[in-house]
Amino acid sequence: MKHPRWTKLLLLAGWMLLTVGCGTPPKVVRQDPEIERNVVLARSAFAAGSAEKAVTYYQKALNRARLMDDPAAIGRNAYNLAACLALLCQDDEARALLDEAHAEFQRTGITAREIPLLKARLDCRDGNTAEALALVQSQLKAATPKDKFFLQYQILLADLLCARGDAKGAALELSRVNLKALNAEEPVVQADAAQVRARIALLDQKSREAGEFLDAAAKHLQQAGQYIEMAVALDEAGRAYETAGDRNAAMNRYYRAARSLFLAGQTARAERVMIRAVLLADQSGQAEMRKKIQQLQADMNAARKSVVQEQ
């Protein structure tokens, strides 16, 4: 059975993996100039929030690597292309590329633990939580705390237990994470952990606490330059605060989320968030925030009309 709410949240974790995983497994010593050029363009597109453009450049890099029969380059670019496609919910294509990456890395003796990590996320999104759990647990048994992705597997295991509604088990697994190591990780990984803590709080019906964890996740994502994901975390925080009965905090998060999504070109998503913001604004006595929300709504409406006129 699929879990719509958790599916959305687990997809966010997959995006973060791409940020951490870009450029891994280890780079070849002498990179082909054409591959390198397309990889640089792909990373730039990804940093700008355009997974679609990143796909185009990673595909070009992958095709060049295939032409050269360079297994390390094939594996690296197949993996990064798969991660982008997973973000775009093109899971079948992503799985095929992950299989290709695995086979090519085997040719060179490279162990790439990020591949089963992404496969587990895809399994969970497909509703195969049991398979995802088995894969993550097997990877943890085969790894040591010194392994690069060990901590991410720990966080994902807790996340998967949340997807099954096991708040107690998730909290136990998360308690095993080395906090010193976590604090030394990239902001996206710290955001991932904060989101899992939020999910545990939601399962325990501690909505305000969940909102605070999601605020922390949004801050980490801001530091990482992942602004669309930051906006999604703010939207989730707004929902948590709304459930907790704090309309002002909810409006603030909805407004910030909608503004970022709108300016990132995610108009449809921004409009869905704005529906909730406007509803709360109509019920609130906060004149200043209501004015901000109304102005943003007017800007979005004007942008929509402009697009229609151009067509």
Side-chain angles (χ1 to χ4, degrees):
M1 181 180 71
K2 292 191 178 185
H3 306 270
R5 179 178 179 81
W6 299 112
T7 295
K8 175 182 178 183
L9 293 171
L10 283 162
L11 173 59
L12 178 60
W15 170 276
M16 293 175 189
L17 172 62
L18 175 61
T19 311
V20 177
C22 262
T24 59
K27 295 180 179 179
V28 292
V29 176
R30 305 177 76 176
Q31 180 67 283
D32 176 75
E34 185 174 335
I35 292 177
E36 181 63 22
R37 180 170 58 254
N38 282 301
V39 167
V40 169
L41 290 170
R43 289 175 179 167
S44 296
F46 173 74
S50 179
E52 293 86 353
K53 289 183 179 179
V55 163
T56 299
Y57 294 119
Y58 275 132
Q59 185 67 68
K60 289 180 179 180
L62 176 58
N63 287 342
R64 175 69 175 177
R66 287 167 173 167
L67 171 67
M68 296 169 60
D69 191 34
D70 183 333
I74 294 172
R76 184 170 57 253
N77 288 291
Y79 167 78
N80 281 326
L81 178 56
C84 287
L85 291 173
L87 175 63
L88 297 172
C89 296
Q90 298 180 33
D91 291 2
D92 290 341
E93 295 89 339
R95 288 182 184 281
L97 286 162
L98 289 175
D99 289 340
E100 180 180 10
H102 176 68
E104 294 296 330
F105 285 141
Q106 281 191 318
R107 286 176 60 192
T108 57
I110 294 174
T111 299
R113 294 199 181 277
E114 56 266 67
I115 291 177
L117 189 60
L118 183 52
K119 282 185 175 181
R121 297 185 190 283
L122 293 175
D123 284 342
C124 187
R125 190 158 73 191
D126 286 343
N128 301 319
T129 309
E131 292 181 20
L133 273 170
L135 180 56
V136 169
Q137 289 168 338
S138 68
Q139 289 295 313
L140 281 171
K141 287 181 181 179
T144 70
K146 293 183 179 180
D147 288 344
K148 182 176 181 180
F149 290 93
F150 186 83
L151 188 146
Q152 290 187 55
Y153 273 107
Q154 287 183 302
I155 295 171
L156 180 54
L157 178 56
D159 204 1
L160 292 169
L161 291 172
C162 283
R164 298 182 67 176
D166 184 0
K168 184 176 180 180
L172 177 61
E173 292 299 334
L174 205 58
S175 71
R176 293 171 176 163
V177 171
N178 185 312
L179 293 181
K180 184 177 180 179
L182 177 61
N183 291 334
E185 275 285 358
E186 296 289 336
V188 286
V189 180
Q190 295 183 52
D192 206 0
Q195 287 173 316
V196 175
R197 291 190 176 100
R199 292 160 208 168
I200 293 171
L202 287 172
L203 288 171
D204 288 337
Q205 298 184 343
K206 298 177 180 178
S207 299
R208 172 165 290 281
E209 186 175 315
E212 292 170 355
F213 282 130
L214 287 162
D215 280 342
K219 184 175 181 180
H220 288 307
L221 291 165
Q222 181 190 52
Q223 293 170 347
Q226 300 303 307
Y227 302 122
I228 294 176
E229 287 60 53
M230 175 197 73
V232 173
L234 287 171
D235 178 27
E236 293 291 333
R239 292 172 185 268
Y241 285 122
E242 186 176 357
T243 301
D246 190 339
R247 291 181 177 177
N248 291 336
M251 275 194 302
N252 174 277
R253 276 39 168 208
Y254 288 149
Y255 170 75
R256 291 158 58 195
R259 180 177 59 185
S260 290
L261 289 169
F262 170 57
L263 293 174
Q266 301 285 315
T267 307
R269 297 171 76 177
E271 289 177 345
R272 287 195 291 270
V273 178
M274 278 300 293
I275 290 173
R276 304 186 71 87
V278 170
L279 180 61
L280 287 184
D282 289 342
Q283 299 171 351
S284 172
Q286 291 289 330
E288 184 177 349
M289 179 54 71
R290 184 175 181 178
K291 183 178 179 180
K292 287 183 179 180
I293 290 172
Q294 289 175 334
Q295 181 59 56
L296 178 57
Q297 187 178 32
D299 292 343
M300 292 170 64
N301 290 338
R304 189 189 307 109
K305 290 179 182 178
S306 176
V307 171
V308 172
Q309 289 174 354
E310 290 176 0
Q311 294 175 343

